[in-house]
Amino acid sequence: MSMPFGYASPEQIMRDRAEYARKGIARGRSVVVMQYADGILFVAPNPSKALHKISEIYDRIGFAAVGRYNEFESLRLAGIRYADINGYTYNRSDVTGRGLANLYAQQLGMIFTESIKSLEVEIVVAEVGEEPGRDQIYRLTFDGSVFDEQGMAVIGGQADAVGGRLKERYSEGLPLAQALDAALFALTEPGGERPAPTQLEVAILDRNREHRKFLRLTGPRLQRVLDETAPPAPPAEPAPAPAPETGPPIGPEGEIDTGSGE
Amino acid sequence: MNNLFTNTGSSSFTEFLGAYAPDLLPTRAQALAAPVGDQIPHATTIVAATCAGGVVMAGDRRATSGNMISQRDIEKVFRTDDYSCIGIAGTASTGIEVARLYRVELEHYEKMEGRSLSTEGKANRLATMIRGNLAMAMQGLVVVPLFAAYDPDRDAGRIFGYDVGGGPYEQRQYHTIGSGSIFARGSLKKLYRENASAEDTVVTCLQALYDAADDDSATGGPDVTRKIWPVVAVINSDGFRRLSDEEVAEYVQGILDARMTDPDGPTAPLR
């Protein structure tokens, strides 16, 4: 049987698309989503104050994503529309993380099979419950697969390595400061330096908050949480002389992560 | 479902709803055969007054249908976001729907854009929504809101009034809406003190509601036997806070005790 010119088998097409998406996602840095004593913690190394990787979807639902910014941003906006329209049509308690994860799974799956290019994104939908047992963390991949994660989820470039390090430190019901410490430990390569607070995007879904549970931790608030687990200051040394030859820092070291995964 | 993903219009929830599910908008396109204004529940008096670093809003709990009391414990003051609230007077059903939609509207914008609307932006948005109800208002389904917010840029409370055609009209110091508003406004005029503490302003607002209930049959006074108290909200830099029933009961008890000897309440100095 002769093959038409340019024929590629469906298996080949799917493999190529998956390969393409994986490469795109692997370029971005990882994001950690994990349970802590009062809810769910999101941590992402992200120097941008405007381009968020973590966001509020609804009262109890948060969203985290890695990959191509414009793609996960349009998923985020669709999620907000979905949540708001359902909450308005029925009741605020009728908007669930499961429903949202299903919506995303359908959209991602459809694009993966029908479009030339699949979305280069990996996302987490997390919902905080009344008690820790009812917290839910869903991880969705570019092909529309949904994983119901227990306790923690890691997405993005070095997901396996970061996940491995997170497992070392993770335990159920960690207080916020310890949980953040564990997340930063996981996100830092062994021997590497932890990202500065200004290079971090941190948010929580706190089950004890009223109305909307989502809260971004920034500035002094984030610093206070970080200080709780900071190693005790080294014994007082003579005041370090300011190094005259190094000027004031003019920008973060290394490549700036724009959130676009580029 | 698909235009959830493809809609790239503005960050307004109302606009999106109008395209996606117009049936859910409070505005109704059909004309009514006859005005029904008298037969369906009406919400009545709301008062708001600014205080030092914030604003207080209070509403009575009565809804009436014509001469009948249709509900004794209706709530007419709603939190719309962390720094604002809305009180409604007029047709209760439409008003509640508008308040609910308005809350989603503010939140939707905040989540889509990653920032809150400015206080003027919030006030203008509400004006458009009220204007959308004009055709219904002409047939008796009138809704008039009162909007109060803490403005972080000015570190002060602000109050905006509306009419059936929209608005907003920014009000200095205090404003009242609803059937008992005339009496409440007279009372506020004499009792309002600029830059008073939030506690004192709560008393002022409760006195105004009491005076409104005294002279307007559609405004409910505090129901001591059933323990139904006015809804009181305070908004300042800490955000929106609705006073608990116990707190309001204490304020109301103080007012009732004083009125036992002086039924018309406190008097303003003559000069």
Side-chain angles (χ1 to χ4, degrees):
Chain A
M1 193 179 98
S2 70
M3 289 288 173
F5 177 71
Y7 174 83
S9 71
E11 290 90 344
Q12 185 62 46
I13 293 172
M14 290 301 164
R15 246 195 324 271
D16 287 354
R17 273 185 203 158
E19 179 76 0
Y20 181 83
R22 273 196 203 99
K23 267 190 203 155
I25 294 162
R27 279 200 292 268
R29 299 185 202 175
S30 299
V31 175
V32 168
V33 181
M34 63 188 285
Q35 269 187 303
Y36 75 101
D38 295 323
I40 293 170
L41 168 71
F42 300 78
V43 185
N46 182 2
S48 171
K49 291 272 164 294
L51 306 173
H52 295 304
K53 293 181 171 183
I54 298 167
S55 153
E56 171 187 18
I57 297 284
Y58 208 62
D59 293 358
R60 291 173 290 127
I61 304 174
F63 172 93
V66 293
R68 202 170 269 281
Y69 179 76
N70 68 319
E71 292 178 351
F72 67 68
E73 176 69 1
S74 81
L75 289 178
R76 182 184 79 90
L77 298 180
I80 293 171
R81 286 190 199 104
Y82 164 85
D84 277 344
I85 206 140
N86 271 306
Y88 181 70
T89 311
Y90 307 110
N91 187 287
R92 299 191 77 90
S93 62
D94 296 317
V95 179
T96 60
R98 203 183 123 271
L100 186 65
N102 275 332
L103 175 83
Y104 282 147
Q106 281 176 30
Q107 178 74 3
L108 286 166
M110 197 181 73
I111 290 179
F112 181 71
T113 46
E114 290 176 10
S115 304
I116 292 181
K117 180 188 109 50
S118 72
L119 295 185
E120 294 160 71
V121 297
E122 196 168 358
I123 58 181
V124 166
V125 172
E127 176 178 358
V128 68
E130 293 291 322
E131 64 238 33
R134 303 183 66 177
D135 289 351
Q136 287 164 359
I137 301 177
Y138 298 102
R139 181 169 63 87
L140 291 99
T141 53
F142 56 87
D143 59 352
S145 314
V146 188
F147 301 88
D148 190 348
E149 303 280 359
Q150 301 303 317
M152 59 182 169
V154 180
I155 50 176
Q158 313 297 320
D160 291 339
V162 174
R165 288 197 289 272
L166 186 59
K167 276 205 186 81
E168 286 176 31
R169 293 285 186 101
Y170 176 83
S171 66
E172 258 178 57
L174 283 177
L176 178 59
Q178 269 78 32
L180 181 56
D181 186 55
L184 290 177
F185 171 79
L187 286 167
T188 313
E189 288 190 8
E193 200 171 314
R194 289 195 178 187
T198 49
Q199 310 283 309
L200 280 177
E201 185 178 357
V202 181
I204 51 172
L205 283 167
D206 181 349
R207 77 180 95 255
N208 301 321
R209 277 169 64 81
E210 273 186 81
H211 308 292
R212 290 155 73 180
K213 315 286 186 194
F214 186 88
L215 180 71
R216 281 187 194 286
L217 299 182
T218 51
R221 201 185 253 156
L222 174 60
Q223 192 59 52
R224 275 197 297 278
V225 181
L226 288 169
D227 287 346
E228 276 183 50
T229 52
E237 286 169 21
E245 61 277 11
T246 48
I250 49 168
E253 280 174 39
E255 237 178 307
I256 294 179
D257 185 0
T258 58
S260 69
E262 288 291 298
Chain B
M1 194 52 83
N2 211 21
N3 62 4
L4 282 177
F5 287 93
T6 53
N7 186 303
T8 50
S10 73
S11 296
S12 162
F13 181 70
T14 314
E15 267 174 40
F16 173 64
L17 196 61
Y20 185 80
D23 290 355
L24 293 177
L25 286 174
T27 320
R28 288 160 186 81
Q30 316 86 334
L32 303 174
V36 293
D38 279 353
Q39 291 143 43
I40 56 177
H42 270 63
T44 47
T45 313
I46 308 284
V47 303
T50 57
C51 61
V55 60
V56 175
M57 184 181 280
D60 75 311
R61 302 292 291 272
R62 182 170 290 179
T64 56
S65 313
N67 65 327
M68 223 179 64
I69 295 172
S70 47
Q71 199 181 340
R72 291 178 207 287
D73 60 352
I74 191 171
E75 295 192 1
K76 301 176 285 193
V77 175
F78 303 94
R79 172 190 185 278
T80 44
D81 67 9
D82 282 347
Y83 293 108
S84 67
C85 71
I86 177 178
I88 49 136
T91 312
S93 52
T94 313
I96 288 170
E97 230 177 317
V98 167
R100 209 156 67 85
L101 178 60
Y102 185 60
R103 176 182 174 185
V104 182
E105 175 79 22
L106 296 188
E107 231 171 69
H108 193 73
Y109 180 93
E110 192 185 324
K111 289 187 290 193
M112 298 292 252
E113 299 284 329
R115 69 178 278 270
S116 292
L117 273 170
S118 64
T119 307
E120 286 87 355
K122 291 176 190 172
N124 289 339
R125 197 66 202 115
L126 185 55
T128 322
M129 289 169 63
I130 295 305
R131 195 189 61 205
N133 193 49
L134 185 59
M136 296 313 294
M138 291 299 132
Q139 301 194 42
L141 298 178
V142 178
V143 175
V144 177
L146 183 59
F147 178 65
Y150 167 79
D151 188 339
D153 297 335
R154 299 190 185 183
D155 187 31
R158 296 175 73 179
I159 299 168
F160 295 86
Y162 298 84
D163 61 30
V164 288
Y169 313 107
E170 178 155 16
Q171 307 289 336
R172 290 193 59 244
Q173 303 179 330
Y174 56 84
H175 194 57
T176 62
I177 55 166
S179 62
S181 61
I182 308 167
F183 308 110
R185 194 174 307 177
S187 175
L188 273 173
K189 189 194 268 181
K190 299 298 172 203
L191 296 181
Y192 177 81
R193 306 280 184 275
E194 201 139 359
N195 267 323
S197 67
E199 292 76 23
D200 285 354
T201 311
V202 169
V203 175
T204 309
C205 287
L206 289 171
Q207 292 279 17
L209 279 182
Y210 193 103
D211 284 328
D214 211 15
D215 290 319
D216 169 39
S217 62
T219 304
D223 193 333
V224 182
T225 51
R226 294 189 182 84
K227 305 216 177 342
I228 299 171
W229 317 111
V231 176
V232 183
V234 178
I235 313 175
N236 53 26
S237 56
D238 295 335
F240 173 95
R241 189 171 79 90
R242 182 183 159 173
L243 271 54
S244 68
D245 274 357
E246 292 72 35
E247 280 173 278
V248 180
E250 207 169 297
Y251 282 114
V252 168
Q253 200 55 53
I255 292 171
L256 288 177
D257 289 346
R259 296 226 179 199
M260 289 304 244
T261 51
D262 200 354
D264 288 342
T267 50
L270 203 51
R271 23 173 97 82

